[in-house]
C-alpha cells in the first residue's frame, strides 16, 4: 500500500496568517493516464469530510481561493493564504493513483 | 447529489454487519459512476474500504478483502456493504461516497454522506 505521511499533525495558527501542510507519498502519484492523483479533504468538527482539492491543485466548487494545492511526484502541499475561523478542523491528503486508496493521518488546524 | 448511510448502530463480535447507501442526484447505471465506502476510526483515521463502478467493477481494501462484499440492488439506487466477523476494531463511522472515472481521468470521493456510527461490543 502507498503510505501517505502528513506534517505537522497539529498546526496552531493565528487568524489572518498563512498555514501550510505537507504530504508525502511512499510512491509516485503520477498515473499512466498522465494525471497526478493527490486530493485534499477538510473535516470540520462534527461534519463529514469534504473534498477541497483534487489532482494536486484543482479547487472543488465553492472552495475559497485562499486554499491552494501544489506539488508533484511524491511531495505535495496544501496552503491557506489567510486562515479564517471557519478553517478550523482536520485536513487529510489522499492518493488516488494506486489501489487501495490511502489517506494521510490528518493535520489538526486550530486557532492560537 | 446526496448520499445517506443506514445500518445497525450496535453489533456484537463475530456478527455480520450490513450497511446500505441510498443516493440521489446521479445514477449508478451511468457510465463512469462509482459508489464507495470509507470508515473513520474513533481516533479520526480514515480508511478506504471498497468501491463499485457502474459496470460492476469492484475494488476492495486488501486488509479487509475476505470480510467485505460490495453490491448494488437490481434497480441500482442503493449500494450495500457487508462486513463479516466484526470485531471491536471495526467500530467507527462508515461513510458512503461518490466517484467517477473516465478514460481520461478518475475523480474520487467528491461527495460524502453524513456517515453512520457502528459500535462493535459484546
Amino acid at each position: 500500500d502507498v503510505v501517505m505521511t502528513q506534517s505537522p499533525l497539529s498546526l496552531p495558527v493565528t487568524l489572518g496568517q498563512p498555514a501550510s501542510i505537507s504530504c508525502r507519498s511512499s510512491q509516485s502519484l503520477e498515473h499512466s493516464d498522465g494525471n497526478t492523483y493527490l486530493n485534499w479533504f477538510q473535516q470540520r468538527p462534527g461534519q463529514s469530510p469534504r473534498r477541497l482539492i483534487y489532482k494536486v491543485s484543482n479547487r472543488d466548487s465553492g472552495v475559497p481561493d485562499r486554499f491552494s494545492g501544489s506539488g508533484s511526484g511524491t511531495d505535495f502541499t496544501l496552503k491557506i493564504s489567510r486562515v479564517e475561523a471557519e478553517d478550523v478542523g482536520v485536513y487529510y491528503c489522499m492518493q488516488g493513483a494506486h489501489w487501495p486508496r490511502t489517506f494521510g493521518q490528518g493535520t489538526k488546524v486550530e486557532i492560537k | 447529489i446526496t448520499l445517506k448511510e443506514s445500518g445497525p448502530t450496535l453489533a456484537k463480535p463475530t456478527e455480520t454487519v450490513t450497511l446500505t447507501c441510498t443516493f440521489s442526484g446521479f445514477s449508478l447505471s451511468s457510465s463512469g459512476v462509482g459508489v464507495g465506502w470509507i470508515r473513520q476510526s474513533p481516533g479520526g483515521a480514515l480508511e478506504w474500504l471498497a468501491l463499485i463502478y457502474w459496470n460492476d467493477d469492484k475494488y476492495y481494501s486488501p486488509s479487509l478483502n475476505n470480510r467485505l462484499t460490495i453490491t448494488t440492488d437490481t434497480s441500482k439506487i442503493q449500494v450495500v456493504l457487508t462486513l463479516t466477523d466484526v470485531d471491536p476494531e471495526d467500530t467507527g463511522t462508515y461513510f458512503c461516497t461518490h466517484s467517477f472515472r473516465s478514460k481520461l481521468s478518475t475523480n474520487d470521493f467528491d461527495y460524502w454522506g453524513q456517515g453512520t456510527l457502528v459500535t462493535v461490543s459484546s
Side-chain angles (χ1 to χ4, degrees):
Chain A
D1 298 3
V2 177
V3 178
M4 305 297 289
T5 304
Q6 289 182 230
S7 63
L9 300 185
S10 177
L11 184 57
V13 295
T14 301
L15 286 173
Q17 293 301 301
S20 179
I21 301 169
S22 171
C23 176
R24 290 187 172 174
S25 57
S26 61
Q27 297 178 34
S28 173
L29 302 186
E30 294 175 16
H31 194 271
S32 56
D33 66 9
N35 294 297
T36 299
Y37 290 109
L38 186 283
N39 297 341
W40 289 97
F41 296 84
Q42 173 196 60
Q43 187 173 30
R44 291 171 170 152
Q47 295 187 11
S48 301
R50 161 202 183 195
R51 198 178 69 180
L52 293 178
I53 302 281
Y54 62 97
K55 290 192 287 186
V56 182
S57 60
N58 297 275
R59 275 190 303 275
D60 274 281
S61 175
V63 175
D65 61 7
R66 64 180 181 272
F67 289 94
S68 64
S70 63
S72 63
T74 60
D75 287 341
F76 304 92
T77 303
L78 175 70
K79 291 182 179 176
I80 310 174
S81 58
R82 293 174 305 280
V83 172
E84 298 190 5
E86 66 177 17
D87 301 334
V88 164
V90 182
Y91 292 77
Y92 299 89
C93 61
M94 184 221 90
Q95 65 82 15
H98 307 277
W99 297 102
R101 304 307 196 221
T102 48
F103 291 85
Q105 317 97 300
T107 295
K108 186 174 184 178
V109 171
E110 58 185 9
I111 304 301
K112 279 183 185 174
Chain B
I1 290 179
T2 63
L3 307 103
K4 187 171 183 179
E5 306 84 352
S6 58
T9 55
L10 184 63
K12 290 183 168 49
T14 76
E15 289 185 340
T16 294
V17 166
T18 299
L19 301 172
T20 300
C21 175
T22 303
F23 51 83
S24 62
F26 66 94
S27 172
L28 196 47
S29 299
S30 299
S31 180
V33 174
V35 174
W37 290 89
I38 293 167
R39 71 181 179 184
Q40 186 166 38
S41 69
L46 291 171
E47 180 183 17
W48 172 79
L49 301 177
L51 196 154
I52 184 168
Y53 282 106
W54 86 105
N55 59 356
D56 212 38
D57 272 355
K58 300 174 185 179
Y59 296 85
Y60 292 101
S61 169
S63 62
L64 290 160
N65 189 28
N66 60 346
R67 298 172 51 214
L68 285 172
T69 304
I70 190 168
T71 59
T72 182
D73 65 326
T74 50
S75 58
K76 292 198 169 185
I77 59 172
Q78 291 184 327
V79 168
V80 175
L81 183 75
T82 301
L83 178 62
T84 61
D85 192 26
V86 297
D87 151 292
E89 292 208 345
D90 295 311
T91 293
T93 299
Y94 287 71
F95 296 99
C96 177
T97 61
H98 169 273
S99 292
F100 181 85
R101 74 179 182 190
S102 68
K103 290 181 182 178
L104 298 178
S105 185
T106 295
N107 186 26
D108 282 326
F109 319 145
D110 52 350
Y111 295 92
W112 295 58
Q114 65 190 24
T116 186
L117 176 61
V118 178
T119 301
V120 180
S121 174
S122 54

